[in-house]
Amino acid sequence: MHFPNLFVTATGTDVGKTIISAALLDAAARHGHQLQYWKPVQTGGVDIDRHSIEAVLSRPLLCPLPSFSYSKPASPDQAAVADKADPPYVATLMQRFRQHSAGPLLVEGAGGLATPLNEDNETWLGFMIATRLPVVLVSSTRLGTINHTVLSLETLDAHDIPVLGVILNGPHDQANLQSLQRMMPHHRFTSFPEINFESQSTQWMAATDGLWKFLKEASEEIDEATWIETDKKVLWHPYTQHKTAPAPAPIVRAKGIHLYTEEGDELIDGTSSWWTCSIGHGHPEIGAAIRRQQSRLDHCIFAGATHRPAVELAEKLIDLTEGHLQRVFYSDNGSCAVEVALKMASQGWKNKGVADRHLFLHFKGAYHGDTFGAMALAEHDGLHGHQRGGLLAGVEATPVTAHRSRLCPDGPASLAQGLDALDAIFARHHQNLAGVLIEPWLQGASGMNIQELSWLQHLGRLCRLHGVPLILDEVFTGMGRAGAPFAFLRAGLEPDIVCIAKGLTGGNLPLAATLCREDIFAQFEDDDRQKALLHGHTFSGNPIGCAAALATLKVYKKQNLFDRALQIEDRFMQWLESQDDRIENGRTLGGVMAWEIAGTGFGSYFSPAAEAMPAIARRHGLLLRPLGNTMYFVPPLSITSSELEDALQRIERCLDDMLPLSLSHGLTPAEHAFEDGAQLSP
Ligand SMILES: *Cc1c(COP(=O)(O)O)cnc(C)c1O
């Protein structure tokens, strides 16, 4: 058997945790396993628990790691204050734990799950979440044990901590055991009888062998070590060339701006987990909202039925548009939000009896998602080279007139040319346009292209003038990413339809919404049922998703996150200006910063320097994913100033490491980002 590290905790003090540790250490030794012992925090006297185990076993223990010891028998937070000593912190305990490499380790807590370690309210539970060590929960057979045991197990379950089993320590009580087995049928229970602790007695040998067998069976069931290997056999990852891609980072948990790997590495989530995680990972208020909603109403059909979370969220989203939009249609991802928008526009014209509005104006470098309608109206040379066409008819405009950065204002086309091109397109097609679809101000997936604001505003004016619905794909720029609740508010546009998704639930659950003006909605109100918007997704308006979004909006408000991207943008701007010629085309909008690696050209996806970047970034504690050779940093908006400084320093260290690579592979900059068949993937 591969014996795991394990964590021995209890439902309270005085239930006999230490004697169970002694029993496990003894049984392990008799079965040929050198299980080592670590009591990270000891109160009530230096090493007293270790000494009592040594007395039972009549031998010294191997204790490989240092401990915090306090003289007062109290919870660690209080004992530290009484001794005027530093209290233990989860981070320090983790550091020590990681230093341990040789052989399996039995870690024994002090008190129970919610016992505080320090005055910052860290508890043993925090340590358990961080290590995810399999837990042995020691409980008693006394009166009150059912309540304590069930509450402890529910907490462990809620945090997905593997539980090897519960050991009821004391005089055998069959009724208690049966009640617990009935109430928590997915957990394993065993009893440890009240015996004398002389290690050679036959009673002791029998009892400890019983425990050993119990744990052996349990640990075989939770052996998780092989899941990373299994990934290679069973999974097909998005946008991944499985033949050449390096092994994916095995992520086991996340907190705030950090992701943690199976090996215990801490990585800054430099893409906000594909641009979704705006408020940081593991926000407790979102977790609580999700749990509350799940226990009240998890999901229900959204045609012919409704529920409060959907209504409340719609009201709040409409408020955020500052009077621009009045209706909300729910779906569950950004691509679908775009599909809905396209249907609203095209069927709207048909409902009005206008037959010849069949074209959508879209833009070079656009990305609107991976469904066929969205692909039809996207950049055809890059992401969707295989899927040209699709079901929708589109006319392709000029490239968006982008200023790659405020530092480097010369975009692919001059502003005057860009404006002329728009005028020409409208002059030619305005009577056939069903709508205009654009990622306002910032094209994301095609390489973080920032548009000339006056060009974008001109587009908005042309739409108004010709009565063409302006559809803004704010799947990325919405929810505060561009420095306002929506990019259109900051850019001064008047959209007819707006799509949002990323960031809507703070990265917790898939949810999307298409918002529109009342006059668009009115085109579908009719006695003729055929004129309804005949579109819906099974999970439309999922109540848990809506509850998560409502809680997310509260966090945005409390932490001022809708304004936060403006401050981040200022700092990004400063940082870009301070960089030397290691980077090209530095640019920023809101909580987005991007640049090209010097010397590798705009569109050179096959640049070896760019290919090497993710691995270099990981060495510096950053999880980044370039778009071609465009590097970008999109941190959670909740990032603190000191975290931001730390991240920028790490990026600089990456650039230092990149320098020799990009010099040795100096490629000529392509004239235009999208005309060299650039292969991009988000
Ligand atoms: C990500 C993205 C989409 C697609 O959203 P999914 O949830 O991945 O379907 C659409 N538009 C823009 C601008 C995006 O960034």
Side-chain angles (χ1 to χ4, degrees):
M1 170 177 101
H2 159 75
F3 203 90
N5 291 328
L6 46 90
F7 187 80
V8 178
T9 185
T11 54
T13 43
D14 280 342
V15 293
K17 196 164 51 255
T18 305
I19 200 65
I20 297 298
S21 292
L24 291 171
L25 289 161
D26 198 31
R30 267 189 283 123
H31 288 83
H33 293 273
Q34 275 302 330
L35 188 56
Q36 302 180 43
Y37 178 75
W38 183 39
K39 176 105 185 175
V41 183
Q42 176 75 66
T43 62
V46 177
D47 289 344
I48 51 167
D49 286 351
R50 174 154 72 93
H51 294 322
S52 52
I53 295 178
E54 287 173 339
V56 171
L57 303 184
S58 321
R59 64 177 166 88
L61 284 179
L62 275 175
C63 297
L65 297 170
S67 306
F68 288 88
S69 277
Y70 307 100
S71 49
K72 186 174 177 182
S75 56
D77 61 330
Q78 297 175 19
V81 171
D83 280 9
K84 296 197 170 55
D86 288 337
Y89 275 87
V90 170
T92 328
L93 298 179
M94 280 301 290
Q95 258 170 14
R96 293 185 181 182
F97 175 66
R98 283 209 201 109
Q99 283 160 12
H100 178 72
S101 52
L105 189 66
L106 184 156
V107 186
E108 188 186 308
L113 304 184
T115 299
L117 295 175
N118 50 53
E119 292 186 332
D120 288 326
N121 297 337
E122 290 189 330
T123 62
W124 281 113
L125 183 63
F127 177 75
M128 291 153 100
I129 292 170
T131 56
R132 287 195 86 251
L133 284 171
V135 164
V136 173
L137 179 68
V138 183
S139 180
S140 79
T141 55
R142 289 196 298 258
L143 202 61
T145 192
I146 298 178
N147 178 47
H148 290 158
T149 309
V150 169
L151 290 176
S152 297
L153 287 174
E154 279 182 349
T155 302
L156 291 167
D157 286 347
H159 293 277
D160 192 29
I161 292 167
V163 180
L164 283 170
V166 182
I167 299 171
L168 297 166
N169 188 19
H172 186 67
D173 185 328
Q174 188 63 19
N176 270 346
L177 183 65
Q178 279 173 354
S179 295
L180 282 166
Q181 277 168 337
R182 190 188 65 235
M183 291 177 75
M184 308 299 280
H186 54 293
H187 283 292
R188 299 160 159 269
F189 297 86
T190 192
S191 317
F192 191 78
E194 203 171 40
I195 49 173
N196 81 50
F197 299 142
E198 273 170 38
S199 60
Q200 300 307 320
S201 76
T202 44
Q203 267 187 322
W204 171 263
M205 303 276 262
T208 52
D209 278 348
L211 268 195
W212 176 256
K213 193 161 162 274
F214 174 76
L215 281 195
K216 191 172 132 129
E217 283 168 13
S219 64
E220 273 159 13
E221 265 177 35
I222 65 156
D223 191 6
E224 294 184 349
T226 59
W227 68 271
I228 302 168
E229 289 307 305
T230 312
D231 174 291
K232 286 190 205 127
K233 295 188 202 122
V234 299
L235 280 181
W236 196 337
H237 286 272
Y239 282 105
T240 299
Q241 173 46 267
H242 279 263
K243 190 162 181 192
T244 55
I251 305 298
V252 288
R253 67 188 181 92
K255 188 77 194 165
I257 65 160
H258 292 111
L259 299 164
Y260 297 86
T261 68
E262 176 82 11
E263 299 91 34
D265 292 338
E266 181 182 83
L267 299 172
I268 294 174
D269 188 356
T271 74
S272 289
S273 287
W274 250 348
W275 319 344
T276 63
C277 181
S278 46
I279 59 171
H281 290 280
H283 200 292
E285 285 171 39
I286 315 299
I290 289 173
R291 282 193 291 278
R292 267 200 308 274
Q293 186 57 45
Q294 194 275 342
S295 61
R296 201 175 294 153
L297 168 67
D298 46 6
H299 186 57
C300 80
I301 185 170
F302 203 54
T306 190
H307 50 78
R308 195 171 170 153
V311 176
E312 282 185 10
L313 177 61
E315 249 188 322
K316 293 244 152 57
L317 292 175
I318 288 167
D319 281 352
L320 273 185
T321 71
E322 298 178 5
H324 284 268
L325 304 165
Q326 293 80 31
R327 290 279 168 177
V328 175
F329 190 101
Y330 289 116
S331 56
D332 34 42
N333 62 71
S335 310
C336 286
V338 170
E339 298 288 336
V340 170
L342 299 175
K343 267 200 198 176
M344 282 177 177
S346 66
Q347 195 188 328
W349 289 112
K350 292 203 181 82
N351 283 357
K352 283 199 289 192
V354 179
D356 49 0
R357 297 273 190 169
H358 55 275
L359 294 178
F360 282 95
L361 176 57
H362 57 107
F363 297 89
K364 278 198 152 288
Y367 177 80
H368 299 292
D370 285 352
T371 52
F372 275 87
M375 285 193 297
L377 302 182
E379 171 69 38
H380 285 168
D381 293 340
L383 266 58
H384 300 133
H386 300 299
Q387 328 277 4
R388 233 164 258 269
L391 299 175
L392 285 168
V395 285
E396 198 161 275
T398 168
V400 294
T401 299
H403 66 158
R404 283 250 159 190
S405 80
R406 286 189 245 161
L407 301 172
C408 174
D410 294 317
S414 76
L415 181 57
Q417 282 172 328
L419 296 176
D420 287 350
L422 282 182
D423 287 341
I425 288 218
F426 270 82
R428 197 152 16 107
H429 293 295
H430 72 91
Q431 281 173 329
N432 304 114
L433 283 179
V436 169
L437 175 64
I438 189 163
E439 294 157 84
W441 215 347
L442 174 70
Q443 285 183 330
S446 68
M448 305 295 171
N449 305 306
I450 299 169
Q451 298 144 21
E452 281 292 354
L453 187 54
S454 51
W455 176 89
L456 181 64
Q457 288 166 339
H458 187 64
L459 176 66
R461 277 193 299 276
L462 287 171
C463 285
R464 276 271 151 271
L465 185 67
H466 296 287
V468 179
L470 175 62
I471 306 167
L472 299 183
D473 177 354
E474 294 228 30
V475 168
F476 177 35
T477 53
M479 295 304 291
R481 185 49 71 183
F486 305 102
F488 78 79
L489 291 173
R490 193 174 166 198
L493 298 175
E494 290 180 48
D496 297 278
I497 304 175
V498 171
C499 309
I500 55 173
K502 289 173 177 134
L504 184 52
T505 64
N508 281 269
L509 288 169
L511 183 73
T514 309
L515 282 64
C516 73
R517 286 162 51 102
E518 189 67 16
D519 52 2
I520 300 266
F521 176 78
Q523 293 165 359
F524 293 76
E525 277 188 309
D526 201 283
D527 293 328
D528 182 355
R529 285 175 57 197
Q530 293 281 340
K531 288 193 175 175
L533 181 60
L534 297 176
H535 188 105
H537 294 282
T538 315
F539 279 99
S540 286
N542 173 257
I544 306 176
C546 291
L550 280 166
T552 300
L553 286 175
K554 276 194 195 148
V555 173
Y556 266 80
K557 220 180 211 152
K558 217 188 306 178
Q559 300 184 15
N560 252 329
L561 294 184
F562 282 125
D563 296 333
R564 176 74 180 128
L566 288 178
Q567 299 154 2
I568 296 176
E569 180 187 284
D570 278 347
R571 181 63 190 108
F572 280 170
M573 200 63 212
Q574 263 179 7
W575 184 83
L576 288 167
E577 274 162 1
S578 74
Q579 293 309 298
D580 49 30
D581 47 8
R582 289 181 301 181
I583 67 168
E584 285 174 353
N585 314 308
R587 54 198 181 275
T588 172
L589 182 77
V592 178
M593 171 169 77
W595 66 93
E596 275 74 40
I597 297 153
T600 54
F602 267 146
S604 317
Y605 181 74
F606 299 106
S607 144
E611 217 171 85
M613 190 59 176
I616 292 174
R618 248 171 91 175
R619 283 210 299 276
H620 292 288
L622 284 160
L623 196 71
L624 297 180
R625 187 177 161 85
L627 293 158
N629 76 328
T630 297
M631 299 298 312
Y632 71 85
F633 182 51
V634 172
L637 298 174
S638 58
I639 191 169
T640 63
S641 302
S642 58
E643 285 171 339
L644 185 56
E645 293 313 313
D646 174 50
L648 292 173
Q649 281 168 17
R650 285 168 194 270
I651 293 173
E652 285 180 29
R653 272 177 254 144
C654 293
L655 293 175
D656 291 343
D657 286 3
M658 291 293 299
L659 198 55
L661 279 172
S662 50
L663 289 181
S664 63
H665 294 285
L667 303 174
T668 31
E671 283 248 286
H672 183 274
F674 310 108
E675 284 170 0
D676 62 353
Q679 294 289 309
L680 298 168
S681 57

